[in-house]
Amino acid sequence: MHFKDNNQPIGIIIEVHGPVVVIDCNRLPPLKQALCTRFDHTLYLFEVHQHLDEKLVRAITLHGTAGLRRGMIVFDTGSPLHVPVSDSCLGRLLNVFGEPLDGGPDLPQQNFRNIHAKPLPLSESIGISGILETGIKVIDLLCPFVKGGKTGLFGGAGVGKTVLVMEFIHAISSIHKGVSVFAGIGERIREAHELWQELQRAGVMDDTLMVFGQMDESPGVRFRVGLSALTYAEYLRDTLHKEVLFVIDNVFRFVQAGSEISSLLGRMPATVGYQPTLTTEVAELQDRILSSRQGAITSVQAVYVPADDMTDPAVSAILSHLDTTVVLSRDQASKGIYPAVDPLRSGSKLMDRTTLGERHYAVAEGVREHLAKYREMEDIIAMLGIEELSENDRKIILRARKLQRYLSQPFSVLADHTKQAGMSVPLSKTLDDCDAFLSGKYDDLSEEQCYMRGGMELPHG
């Protein structure tokens, strides 16, 4: 973090409560202002969160608090938190202040951006514009990504959220020649390290920037690391004029950090113990994910669902901002169908004829109807066997089972582990294949011949 040596003294610390400090100021700094103090050559940064009266402010520490004590002099940095930006940020691993975590050199300290920048003016932002193909069959067909839109990835542990995120990063890099920014909010160090190594092995790290605020860090860091990463995404959008994929893992931990800060500041909790400022805080992050005429930011956000309750206030606040919902299901994973996307619970607000076109809409609806019929009759088949169904129902069920297996796919980022080359399938090919399944062209094929492959005319595996 870069600060001038001539910072002005602004006050002294009079109370320290965990990560919260109360500072007696000779002039009142604005909210979100970054303040600092030094102890044993260590720089401590604070962010102003509350004005208590005309002299006292409450601030959150953005580092560990060991060594802080009453009477320490606090200096004004002259601005809110800002991060160094440069073309050389791609391929790097950074923290909330833009400092390297990968052992590499510091970023050049010439240009800085405020992490609390305002969203683009409405006159300069452009709306969502068509579908962003990922080459992943089930997503392009049933819950397509929207260029410049926001997608939520809902699922528990171990159903493949991280692998799917890595495949999205790979697709943006290889299909669209774009770049990715990954925000790790409250990540475990093991997860962060594994993801970094996997992206290097998959050869996409050169087009990716990773910004981490780890689980053991101050709630102030976990609360702000999403904004730091978003600042880099905005910089890449405005300077490289490229397709930027902005990945957040996990948005729920951003809400949790806000809840911790709210309690520390003494605010009364609201619904189910969440902070009263929940919707504003989520909107502050989400409303900056915008596209301009220079470039687009498309966002993918992993969302943890507490107790699998989609009506949880935090999940509802996040859901209200999303265009596409991808629900990963343990049931699909247990059948060996990866990506484990639940085709009936996932969907997009833009699943209409106008956006998708007549053919895509008709094929997607046909596939959904077949899969819904199969799910409806699974219990009957388990008890009585498929032979007891009418001929028409049997035909639908067999086609649905083949479609279910066809929508599985080997991923490029897992090629080293599975020894199976990754397959990327254009949307037009997926539509042709699904149309052929629905019309009965592949009725003679076995289910194994449809499983874990790319397009149907392509060689198996």
Side-chain angles (χ1 to χ4, degrees), residues 98-210:
E99 297 165 346
L101 295 173
D102 52 11
D106 288 350
L107 291 182
Q109 307 279 311
Q110 274 98 34
N111 297 316
F112 291 87
R113 278 179 92 130
N114 174 5
I115 71 163
H116 296 291
K118 287 188 167 60
L120 275 178
L122 283 175
S123 55
E124 288 175 32
S125 61
I126 57 170
I128 46 185
S129 54
I131 287 173
L132 185 73
E133 283 194 39
T134 61
I136 301 169
K137 294 179 286 191
V138 65
I139 285 179
D140 288 346
L141 178 69
L142 298 174
C143 40
F145 277 24
V146 186
K147 190 182 272 194
K150 305 181 188 83
T151 299
L153 215 53
F154 296 83
V159 289
K161 285 199 299 292
T162 304
V163 172
L164 206 46
V165 159
M166 283 160 54
E167 193 67 14
F168 294 148
I169 292 174
H170 189 272
I172 288 291
S173 177
S174 55
I175 300 173
H176 301 281
K177 302 292 178 262
V179 296
S180 304
V181 177
F182 180 92
I185 304 179
E187 284 280 281
R188 296 172 187 88
I189 186 66
R190 170 184 59 78
E191 293 172 334
H193 192 264
E194 279 174 14
L195 185 64
W196 183 39
Q197 299 293 333
E198 290 287 355
L199 290 178
Q200 285 177 321
R201 272 199 289 275
V204 292
M205 193 60 211
D206 288 347
D207 293 318
T208 307
L209 164 68
M210 304 178 89

Side-chain angles (χ1 to χ4, degrees), residues 226-416:
L227 292 181
S228 278
L230 182 50
T231 304
Y232 280 107
E234 289 170 334
Y235 168 76
L236 293 170
R237 173 196 68 196
D238 299 340
T239 56
L240 296 186
H241 310 316
K242 279 194 172 183
E243 191 70 56
V244 180
L245 179 71
F246 179 52
V247 182
I248 310 177
D249 189 6
N250 186 307
V251 191
F252 183 75
R253 295 200 189 118
F254 161 74
V255 171
Q256 278 183 314
S259 181
E260 279 179 59
I261 286 174
S262 190
S263 305
L264 291 164
L265 296 174
R267 293 193 193 118
M268 282 288 286
T271 332
V272 203
Y274 285 111
Q275 61 270 43
T277 48
L278 171 68
T279 45
T280 320
E281 287 167 7
V282 171
E284 235 173 48
L285 180 70
Q286 302 282 2
D287 285 355
R288 276 174 59 189
I289 302 173
L290 288 170
S291 301
S292 68
R293 290 177 187 83
Q294 274 78 43
I297 297 182
T298 303
S299 172
V300 178
Q301 309 174 9
V303 185
Y304 167 71
V305 183
D308 291 333
D309 177 15
M310 293 292 278
T311 62
D312 184 88
V315 177
S316 301
I318 296 161
L319 259 174
S320 63
H321 291 274
L322 302 177
D323 302 299
T324 301
T325 311
V326 179
V327 179
L328 297 176
S329 125
R330 208 166 291 285
D331 187 40
Q332 291 284 95
S334 67
K335 291 175 183 167
I337 292 166
Y338 287 99
V341 175
D342 186 325
L344 301 179
R345 290 171 67 203
S346 305
S348 173
K349 286 180 181 170
L350 297 162
M351 287 294 286
D352 57 53
R353 288 183 172 85
T354 319
T355 313
L356 300 183
E358 196 66 50
R359 180 162 185 246
H360 185 164
Y361 183 79
V363 171
E365 285 303 294
V367 169
R368 249 189 240 279
E369 279 168 26
H370 276 60
L371 293 172
K373 182 82 170 172
Y374 175 40
R375 187 163 294 181
E376 200 181 291
M377 305 194 78
E378 262 181 321
D379 291 343
I380 296 169
I381 295 166
M383 287 187 290
L384 303 176
I386 199 166
E387 294 76 21
E388 297 301 313
L389 300 178
S390 70
E391 193 179 337
N392 191 43
D393 280 353
R394 205 176 324 156
K395 200 183 287 178
I396 288 173
I397 298 306
L398 290 171
R399 285 176 189 169
R401 284 176 64 89
K402 283 173 193 163
L403 276 165
Q404 190 182 49
R405 280 149 183 75
Y406 170 73
L407 292 175
S408 67
Q409 188 170 345
F411 279 170
S412 303
V413 293
L414 292 182
D416 284 353

